[in-house]
Amino acid sequence: MEHSLLVWLLPTLALVVGVVIGFLAARLLPNAAPSSTQRQLDDVQERFNSYQNEVVTHFNSTATLVNKMSQSYQDVQDHLTDGANRLALDELTRQRLLASLHSDAAPTPRDRLTPPRHSEAPKDYAPKTPNAPGMLDEHYGLKK
């Protein structure tokens, strides 16, 4: 009985002592590895934040440039309309000029594509003649 108690007590005592020593070593020794990992994590986080700021700046600049381009296009359209109104010699010419300016602005509706009449799903096998051996036949591809 004393022998079996010793068999269980020594490993249990060794485990408890090992856990205590490991805990003390982790708390008292300098934290070199976690500090390095933390620095790497901070560096990655800083690069990620910088990248996000660059993306936001890029899209803000793009939006500003697109707005400027739209405004410039509107200014050109206004200039051409004003020129057509002022410089056209008669009413018919003025109407044709204005119609040509505004017909390009509105896109024409496109015709819808019609699907084929006889649509068949693609085959995932090679077609064969009715009495020919299939690809899984043991004699397929062998010459007699």
mmCIF file of all heavy atoms in Angstrom, residues 21-57:
data_model
loop_
_atom_site.group_PDB
_atom_site.id
_atom_site.type_symbol
_atom_site.label_atom_id
_atom_site.label_comp_id
_atom_site.label_asym_id
_atom_site.label_seq_id
_atom_site.Cartn_x
_atom_site.Cartn_y
_atom_site.Cartn_z
ATOM 1 N N ILE A 21 7.545 26.189 -10.635
ATOM 2 C CA ILE A 21 8.811 26.703 -11.188
ATOM 3 C C ILE A 21 8.567 27.380 -12.539
ATOM 4 O O ILE A 21 9.112 28.454 -12.818
ATOM 5 C CB ILE A 21 9.845 25.568 -11.302
ATOM 6 C CG1 ILE A 21 10.305 25.126 -9.904
ATOM 7 C CG2 ILE A 21 11.044 26.001 -12.137
ATOM 8 C CD1 ILE A 21 11.190 23.910 -9.911
ATOM 9 N N GLY A 22 7.757 26.795 -13.381
ATOM 10 C CA GLY A 22 7.448 27.400 -14.677
ATOM 11 C C GLY A 22 6.740 28.731 -14.534
ATOM 12 O O GLY A 22 7.038 29.696 -15.251
ATOM 13 N N PHE A 23 5.807 28.817 -13.597
ATOM 14 C CA PHE A 23 5.088 30.066 -13.365
ATOM 15 C C PHE A 23 6.039 31.154 -12.869
ATOM 16 O O PHE A 23 6.008 32.288 -13.343
ATOM 17 C CB PHE A 23 3.962 29.835 -12.352
ATOM 18 C CG PHE A 23 3.164 31.064 -12.041
ATOM 19 C CD1 PHE A 23 2.236 31.537 -12.946
ATOM 20 C CD2 PHE A 23 3.356 31.755 -10.856
ATOM 21 C CE1 PHE A 23 1.503 32.682 -12.672
ATOM 22 C CE2 PHE A 23 2.637 32.892 -10.568
ATOM 23 C CZ PHE A 23 1.701 33.361 -11.476
ATOM 24 N N LEU A 24 6.903 30.799 -11.910
ATOM 25 C CA LEU A 24 7.863 31.778 -11.381
ATOM 26 C C LEU A 24 8.865 32.206 -12.447
ATOM 27 O O LEU A 24 9.219 33.392 -12.542
ATOM 28 C CB LEU A 24 8.584 31.203 -10.162
ATOM 29 C CG LEU A 24 7.731 31.034 -8.893
ATOM 30 C CD1 LEU A 24 8.536 30.343 -7.801
ATOM 31 C CD2 LEU A 24 7.217 32.386 -8.427
ATOM 32 N N ALA A 25 9.314 31.260 -13.253
ATOM 33 C CA ALA A 25 10.273 31.592 -14.312
ATOM 34 C C ALA A 25 9.630 32.533 -15.337
ATOM 35 O O ALA A 25 10.267 33.479 -15.819
ATOM 36 C CB ALA A 25 10.770 30.324 -14.989
ATOM 37 N N ALA A 26 8.386 32.300 -15.655
ATOM 38 C CA ALA A 26 7.704 33.152 -16.628
ATOM 39 C C ALA A 26 7.494 34.558 -16.084
ATOM 40 O O ALA A 26 7.541 35.536 -16.826
ATOM 41 C CB ALA A 26 6.363 32.530 -17.007
ATOM 42 N N ARG A 27 7.250 34.679 -14.771
ATOM 43 C CA ARG A 27 7.008 35.988 -14.177
ATOM 44 C C ARG A 27 8.296 36.760 -13.888
ATOM 45 O O ARG A 27 8.325 37.980 -14.026
ATOM 46 C CB ARG A 27 6.238 35.842 -12.865
ATOM 47 C CG ARG A 27 4.828 35.438 -13.038
ATOM 48 C CD ARG A 27 4.052 36.575 -13.611
ATOM 49 N NE ARG A 27 2.664 36.188 -13.788
ATOM 50 C CZ ARG A 27 1.785 36.935 -14.372
ATOM 51 N NH1 ARG A 27 2.131 38.107 -14.827
ATOM 52 N NH2 ARG A 27 0.556 36.532 -14.501
ATOM 53 N N LEU A 28 9.344 36.066 -13.467
ATOM 54 C CA LEU A 28 10.535 36.753 -12.992
ATOM 55 C C LEU A 28 11.578 37.000 -14.078
ATOM 56 O O LEU A 28 12.299 37.996 -14.028
ATOM 57 C CB LEU A 28 11.165 35.972 -11.827
ATOM 58 C CG LEU A 28 10.283 35.836 -10.582
ATOM 59 C CD1 LEU A 28 10.982 34.984 -9.538
ATOM 60 C CD2 LEU A 28 9.928 37.203 -10.018
ATOM 61 N N LEU A 29 11.692 36.095 -15.042
ATOM 62 C CA LEU A 29 12.699 36.281 -16.082
ATOM 63 C C LEU A 29 12.272 37.386 -17.039
ATOM 64 O O LEU A 29 11.087 37.661 -17.213
ATOM 65 C CB LEU A 29 12.901 34.970 -16.855
ATOM 66 C CG LEU A 29 13.556 33.836 -16.053
ATOM 67 C CD1 LEU A 29 13.648 32.594 -16.919
ATOM 68 C CD2 LEU A 29 14.934 34.238 -15.579
ATOM 69 N N PRO A 30 13.249 38.056 -17.696
ATOM 70 C CA PRO A 30 12.882 39.120 -18.640
ATOM 71 C C PRO A 30 12.049 38.546 -19.783
ATOM 72 O O PRO A 30 12.315 37.468 -20.292
ATOM 73 C CB PRO A 30 14.221 39.662 -19.142
ATOM 74 C CG PRO A 30 15.268 38.760 -18.614
ATOM 75 C CD PRO A 30 14.670 37.863 -17.581
ATOM 76 N N ASN A 31 11.060 39.288 -20.159
ATOM 77 C CA ASN A 31 10.121 38.839 -21.195
ATOM 78 C C ASN A 31 10.661 39.203 -22.575
ATOM 79 O O ASN A 31 10.171 40.109 -23.225
ATOM 80 C CB ASN A 31 8.751 39.475 -20.979
ATOM 81 C CG ASN A 31 8.140 39.057 -19.672
ATOM 82 O OD1 ASN A 31 8.421 37.961 -19.194
ATOM 83 N ND2 ASN A 31 7.320 39.902 -19.083
ATOM 84 N N ALA A 32 11.660 38.501 -23.049
ATOM 85 C CA ALA A 32 12.275 38.810 -24.349
ATOM 86 C C ALA A 32 11.368 38.403 -25.500
ATOM 87 O O ALA A 32 11.142 39.163 -26.425
ATOM 88 C CB ALA A 32 13.623 38.117 -24.468
ATOM 89 N N ALA A 33 10.842 37.201 -25.452
ATOM 90 C CA ALA A 33 10.033 36.708 -26.568
ATOM 91 C C ALA A 33 8.716 37.467 -26.700
ATOM 92 O O ALA A 33 8.375 37.915 -27.783
ATOM 93 C CB ALA A 33 9.800 35.214 -26.434
ATOM 94 N N PRO A 34 7.931 37.643 -25.627
ATOM 95 C CA PRO A 34 6.686 38.394 -25.797
ATOM 96 C C PRO A 34 6.922 39.836 -26.221
ATOM 97 O O PRO A 34 6.154 40.395 -26.982
ATOM 98 C CB PRO A 34 6.016 38.315 -24.425
ATOM 99 C CG PRO A 34 6.572 37.084 -23.806
ATOM 100 C CD PRO A 34 7.987 36.999 -24.327
ATOM 101 N N SER A 35 8.008 40.437 -25.750
ATOM 102 C CA SER A 35 8.290 41.812 -26.133
ATOM 103 C C SER A 35 8.579 41.894 -27.625
ATOM 104 O O SER A 35 8.107 42.797 -28.310
ATOM 105 C CB SER A 35 9.476 42.335 -25.327
ATOM 106 O OG SER A 35 9.843 43.607 -25.772
ATOM 107 N N SER A 36 9.338 40.959 -28.150
ATOM 108 C CA SER A 36 9.637 40.932 -29.574
ATOM 109 C C SER A 36 8.365 40.715 -30.383
ATOM 110 O O SER A 36 8.139 41.373 -31.395
ATOM 111 C CB SER A 36 10.651 39.822 -29.864
ATOM 112 O OG SER A 36 10.813 39.638 -31.239
ATOM 113 N N THR A 37 7.553 39.795 -29.924
ATOM 114 C CA THR A 37 6.291 39.527 -30.613
ATOM 115 C C THR A 37 5.384 40.744 -30.561
ATOM 116 O O THR A 37 4.737 41.088 -31.548
ATOM 117 C CB THR A 37 5.587 38.317 -29.969
ATOM 118 O OG1 THR A 37 6.481 37.211 -29.961
ATOM 119 C CG2 THR A 37 4.335 37.952 -30.720
ATOM 120 N N GLN A 38 5.355 41.422 -29.436
ATOM 121 C CA GLN A 38 4.526 42.618 -29.301
ATOM 122 C C GLN A 38 5.020 43.718 -30.230
ATOM 123 O O GLN A 38 4.226 44.420 -30.846
ATOM 124 C CB GLN A 38 4.520 43.103 -27.838
ATOM 125 C CG GLN A 38 3.588 44.262 -27.597
ATOM 126 C CD GLN A 38 2.141 43.907 -27.845
ATOM 127 O OE1 GLN A 38 1.702 42.805 -27.548
ATOM 128 N NE2 GLN A 38 1.392 44.827 -28.419
ATOM 129 N N ARG A 39 6.353 43.864 -30.339
ATOM 130 C CA ARG A 39 6.897 44.869 -31.255
ATOM 131 C C ARG A 39 6.525 44.548 -32.694
ATOM 132 O O ARG A 39 6.168 45.437 -33.467
ATOM 133 C CB ARG A 39 8.412 44.960 -31.113
ATOM 134 C CG ARG A 39 8.826 45.913 -29.993
ATOM 135 C CD ARG A 39 10.325 46.090 -29.957
ATOM 136 N NE ARG A 39 10.829 45.043 -29.059
ATOM 137 C CZ ARG A 39 11.860 44.249 -29.318
ATOM 138 N NH1 ARG A 39 12.547 44.390 -30.409
ATOM 139 N NH2 ARG A 39 12.226 43.323 -28.468
ATOM 140 N N GLN A 40 6.605 43.277 -33.062
ATOM 141 C CA GLN A 40 6.219 42.886 -34.416
ATOM 142 C C GLN A 40 4.738 43.154 -34.659
ATOM 143 O O GLN A 40 4.343 43.648 -35.715
ATOM 144 C CB GLN A 40 6.521 41.406 -34.659
ATOM 145 C CG GLN A 40 7.991 41.091 -34.788
ATOM 146 C CD GLN A 40 8.236 39.588 -34.929
ATOM 147 O OE1 GLN A 40 7.341 38.780 -34.707
ATOM 148 N NE2 GLN A 40 9.451 39.234 -35.298
ATOM 149 N N LEU A 41 3.916 42.827 -33.677
ATOM 150 C CA LEU A 41 2.483 43.075 -33.801
ATOM 151 C C LEU A 41 2.201 44.565 -33.935
ATOM 152 O O LEU A 41 1.387 44.984 -34.770
ATOM 153 C CB LEU A 41 1.744 42.506 -32.593
ATOM 154 C CG LEU A 41 0.232 42.687 -32.588
ATOM 155 C CD1 LEU A 41 -0.401 41.922 -33.739
ATOM 156 C CD2 LEU A 41 -0.347 42.221 -31.261
ATOM 157 N N ASP A 42 2.877 45.384 -33.144
ATOM 158 C CA ASP A 42 2.704 46.835 -33.236
ATOM 159 C C ASP A 42 3.143 47.352 -34.598
ATOM 160 O O ASP A 42 2.495 48.237 -35.172
ATOM 161 C CB ASP A 42 3.485 47.543 -32.124
ATOM 162 C CG ASP A 42 2.888 47.293 -30.740
ATOM 163 O OD1 ASP A 42 1.714 46.866 -30.664
ATOM 164 O OD2 ASP A 42 3.617 47.515 -29.748
ATOM 165 N N ASP A 43 4.248 46.810 -35.134
ATOM 166 C CA ASP A 43 4.731 47.220 -36.450
ATOM 167 C C ASP A 43 3.726 46.867 -37.543
ATOM 168 O O ASP A 43 3.419 47.682 -38.422
ATOM 169 C CB ASP A 43 6.084 46.560 -36.735
ATOM 170 C CG ASP A 43 6.673 47.009 -38.054
ATOM 171 O OD1 ASP A 43 6.673 48.231 -38.316
ATOM 172 O OD2 ASP A 43 7.134 46.128 -38.823
ATOM 173 N N VAL A 44 3.182 45.664 -37.469
ATOM 174 C CA VAL A 44 2.183 45.240 -38.464
ATOM 175 C C VAL A 44 0.931 46.099 -38.349
ATOM 176 O O VAL A 44 0.353 46.517 -39.360
ATOM 177 C CB VAL A 44 1.858 43.733 -38.290
ATOM 178 C CG1 VAL A 44 0.643 43.341 -39.097
ATOM 179 C CG2 VAL A 44 3.048 42.888 -38.689
ATOM 180 N N GLN A 45 0.509 46.403 -37.125
ATOM 181 C CA GLN A 45 -0.674 47.241 -36.927
ATOM 182 C C GLN A 45 -0.436 48.642 -37.472
ATOM 183 O O GLN A 45 -1.319 49.233 -38.108
ATOM 184 C CB GLN A 45 -1.029 47.303 -35.432
ATOM 185 C CG GLN A 45 -2.292 48.075 -35.134
ATOM 186 C CD GLN A 45 -3.529 47.412 -35.684
ATOM 187 O OE1 GLN A 45 -3.647 46.200 -35.649
ATOM 188 N NE2 GLN A 45 -4.446 48.198 -36.193
ATOM 189 N N GLU A 46 0.766 49.173 -37.258
ATOM 190 C CA GLU A 46 1.086 50.512 -37.760
ATOM 191 C C GLU A 46 1.084 50.538 -39.289
ATOM 192 O O GLU A 46 0.558 51.466 -39.906
ATOM 193 C CB GLU A 46 2.450 50.942 -37.226
ATOM 194 C CG GLU A 46 2.841 52.351 -37.626
ATOM 195 C CD GLU A 46 4.196 52.736 -37.051
ATOM 196 O OE1 GLU A 46 4.547 52.260 -35.963
ATOM 197 O OE2 GLU A 46 4.898 53.517 -37.726
ATOM 198 N N ARG A 47 1.663 49.497 -39.911
ATOM 199 C CA ARG A 47 1.652 49.429 -41.376
ATOM 200 C C ARG A 47 0.231 49.284 -41.910
ATOM 201 O O ARG A 47 -0.116 49.890 -42.922
ATOM 202 C CB ARG A 47 2.523 48.274 -41.860
ATOM 203 C CG ARG A 47 4.010 48.550 -41.707
ATOM 204 C CD ARG A 47 4.837 47.519 -42.396
ATOM 205 N NE ARG A 47 4.539 46.197 -41.822
ATOM 206 C CZ ARG A 47 5.003 45.060 -42.286
ATOM 207 N NH1 ARG A 47 5.778 45.053 -43.335
ATOM 208 N NH2 ARG A 47 4.705 43.920 -41.704
ATOM 209 N N PHE A 48 -0.593 48.508 -41.225
ATOM 210 C CA PHE A 48 -1.980 48.330 -41.647
ATOM 211 C C PHE A 48 -2.754 49.645 -41.556
ATOM 212 O O PHE A 48 -3.497 50.008 -42.470
ATOM 213 C CB PHE A 48 -2.658 47.251 -40.803
ATOM 214 C CG PHE A 48 -4.093 47.033 -41.148
ATOM 215 C CD1 PHE A 48 -4.448 46.443 -42.355
ATOM 216 C CD2 PHE A 48 -5.099 47.408 -40.266
ATOM 217 C CE1 PHE A 48 -5.771 46.238 -42.676
ATOM 218 C CE2 PHE A 48 -6.420 47.200 -40.590
ATOM 219 C CZ PHE A 48 -6.765 46.622 -41.790
ATOM 220 N N ASN A 49 -2.561 50.374 -40.456
ATOM 221 C CA ASN A 49 -3.230 51.677 -40.303
ATOM 222 C C ASN A 49 -2.764 52.650 -41.376
ATOM 223 O O ASN A 49 -3.567 53.410 -41.929
ATOM 224 C CB ASN A 49 -2.974 52.249 -38.917
ATOM 225 C CG ASN A 49 -3.695 51.475 -37.833
ATOM 226 O OD1 ASN A 49 -4.653 50.762 -38.102
ATOM 227 N ND2 ASN A 49 -3.226 51.603 -36.603
ATOM 228 N N SER A 50 -1.478 52.629 -41.682
ATOM 229 C CA SER A 50 -0.944 53.500 -42.727
ATOM 230 C C SER A 50 -1.558 53.147 -44.080
ATOM 231 O O SER A 50 -1.935 54.024 -44.854
ATOM 232 C CB SER A 50 0.576 53.369 -42.776
ATOM 233 O OG SER A 50 1.102 54.062 -43.871
ATOM 234 N N TYR A 51 -1.662 51.853 -44.357
ATOM 235 C CA TYR A 51 -2.259 51.407 -45.617
ATOM 236 C C TYR A 51 -3.721 51.843 -45.708
ATOM 237 O O TYR A 51 -4.171 52.315 -46.748
ATOM 238 C CB TYR A 51 -2.149 49.887 -45.728
ATOM 239 C CG TYR A 51 -2.850 49.318 -46.927
ATOM 240 C CD1 TYR A 51 -2.316 49.455 -48.202
ATOM 241 C CD2 TYR A 51 -4.060 48.650 -46.788
ATOM 242 C CE1 TYR A 51 -2.961 48.946 -49.305
ATOM 243 C CE2 TYR A 51 -4.709 48.132 -47.890
ATOM 244 C CZ TYR A 51 -4.161 48.281 -49.141
ATOM 245 O OH TYR A 51 -4.806 47.783 -50.233
ATOM 246 N N GLN A 52 -4.461 51.683 -44.613
ATOM 247 C CA GLN A 52 -5.857 52.109 -44.618
ATOM 248 C C GLN A 52 -5.977 53.606 -44.882
ATOM 249 O O GLN A 52 -6.854 54.040 -45.640
ATOM 250 C CB GLN A 52 -6.526 51.776 -43.279
ATOM 251 C CG GLN A 52 -6.931 50.338 -43.145
ATOM 252 C CD GLN A 52 -7.678 50.071 -41.854
ATOM 253 O OE1 GLN A 52 -7.369 50.670 -40.819
ATOM 254 N NE2 GLN A 52 -8.650 49.182 -41.914
ATOM 255 N N ASN A 53 -5.103 54.403 -44.274
ATOM 256 C CA ASN A 53 -5.131 55.850 -44.515
ATOM 257 C C ASN A 53 -4.821 56.170 -45.971
ATOM 258 O O ASN A 53 -5.436 57.070 -46.562
ATOM 259 C CB ASN A 53 -4.149 56.561 -43.590
ATOM 260 C CG ASN A 53 -4.622 56.560 -42.153
ATOM 261 O OD1 ASN A 53 -5.804 56.459 -41.875
ATOM 262 N ND2 ASN A 53 -3.681 56.647 -41.224
ATOM 263 N N GLU A 54 -3.877 55.443 -46.570
ATOM 264 C CA GLU A 54 -3.557 55.665 -47.975
ATOM 265 C C GLU A 54 -4.735 55.318 -48.875
ATOM 266 O O GLU A 54 -5.011 56.027 -49.849
ATOM 267 C CB GLU A 54 -2.339 54.838 -48.386
ATOM 268 C CG GLU A 54 -1.033 55.356 -47.846
ATOM 269 C CD GLU A 54 0.142 54.503 -48.280
ATOM 270 O OE1 GLU A 54 0.105 53.969 -49.407
ATOM 271 O OE2 GLU A 54 1.088 54.368 -47.501
ATOM 272 N N VAL A 55 -5.430 54.242 -48.549
ATOM 273 C CA VAL A 55 -6.597 53.840 -49.353
ATOM 274 C C VAL A 55 -7.686 54.897 -49.262
ATOM 275 O O VAL A 55 -8.279 55.295 -50.278
ATOM 276 C CB VAL A 55 -7.114 52.453 -48.898
ATOM 277 C CG1 VAL A 55 -8.467 52.143 -49.511
ATOM 278 C CG2 VAL A 55 -6.118 51.373 -49.271
ATOM 279 N N VAL A 56 -7.960 55.381 -48.054
ATOM 280 C CA VAL A 56 -8.986 56.407 -47.879
ATOM 281 C C VAL A 56 -8.601 57.673 -48.635
ATOM 282 O O VAL A 56 -9.425 58.275 -49.335
ATOM 283 C CB VAL A 56 -9.212 56.694 -46.377
ATOM 284 C CG1 VAL A 56 -10.044 57.944 -46.167
ATOM 285 C CG2 VAL A 56 -9.869 55.505 -45.711
ATOM 286 N N THR A 57 -7.340 58.072 -48.538
ATOM 287 C CA THR A 57 -6.868 59.258 -49.247
ATOM 288 C C THR A 57 -6.993 59.075 -50.754
ATOM 289 O O THR A 57 -7.426 59.992 -51.475
ATOM 290 C CB THR A 57 -5.400 59.550 -48.875
ATOM 291 O OG1 THR A 57 -5.306 59.718 -47.460
ATOM 292 C CG2 THR A 57 -4.888 60.791 -49.568
#
